[in-house]
Amino acid sequence: MTRIVQSLYPVSSGLTDKDDSLSAMSDHHHGHDHDHEHEHDDRPGPHGAPLTDVQLRVRALESLLVDKGLVDPKALDTLIDAYETKVGPRNGARVVAKAWVDPAFKQRLLADSTAAIAELGYIGRQGEDMVVLENTPKVHNVVVCTLCSCYPWPVLGLPPVWYKSGPYRARTVIDPRGVLREFGVDVPDGVEVRVWDSTAELRYLVLPERPKGTEGMTEEQLAELVTRDAMIGVAQVKAPAR
């Protein structure tokens, strides 16, 4: 069973695995407002959205700095990778690990996610209103933003390129199980898949299932196991190899 949550438009059947275009969906209206800055969409996506003035200026400035030898493109790539995969996601990983070892915190996290996350000091722009989604043996959650690339920066850092891509944003709604298989997650037929559509007003964080065999690990050790992809819902947390 698959449930689409917070998605208020009919899904087009014209998109395929190789179709990078969201034009089949472009005439549908969403029940939420995405009138916010998209500085994290660094180039025109497959949906053909033009760059904003801010994005154009950033790109021009970057090109100028690179041309004059003041900035090393590899250094920029390294910095961006750090915020995408290391610095930002470590915040979310600490939230997950604390929820695994502290039942009272987990209860608060699921009841009022924004407040519980703020207890750990993780607040700020793009994370003002958070909802944490718990994966269970019967439910697997996956997060997408179908219109742009809304993303919880305070707990996950910068969004990965694939999260902003047309195929992911379109196909996750149409065929979530197929998309999850491509990420290496084979969800059993008896498990419900819920697809959550992020908006400018509401961002989601997946609370993955704690892997078996980690009962003796500390909170810090558990946090090292949690990946960015698991908190988006396209991966599962694995116990360390013995």
Side-chain angles (χ1 to χ4, degrees), residues 114-201:
T114 305
I117 291 172
E119 291 178 22
L120 302 184
Y122 307 138
I123 56 176
R125 190 168 179 272
Q126 312 297 336
E128 297 91 342
D129 294 292
M130 294 288 303
V131 171
V132 171
L133 313 164
E134 182 183 14
N135 281 354
T136 71
K138 294 297 183 182
V139 175
H140 183 93
N141 298 285
V142 60
V143 180
V144 68
C145 180
T146 54
L147 191 59
C148 52
S149 51
C150 297
Y151 196 73
W153 293 8
V155 288
L156 289 186
L158 299 176
V161 172
W162 56 260
Y163 182 85
K164 301 183 285 185
S165 72
Y168 177 78
R169 293 189 289 116
R171 292 183 53 236
T172 301
V173 173
I174 298 169
D175 180 23
R177 291 177 183 272
V179 170
L180 289 171
R181 278 195 296 270
E182 292 176 17
F183 277 94
V185 179
D186 193 3
V187 180
D189 291 339
V191 176
E192 178 185 358
V193 176
R194 295 179 182 173
V195 180
W196 298 81
D197 190 0
S198 294
T199 74
E201 295 79 24

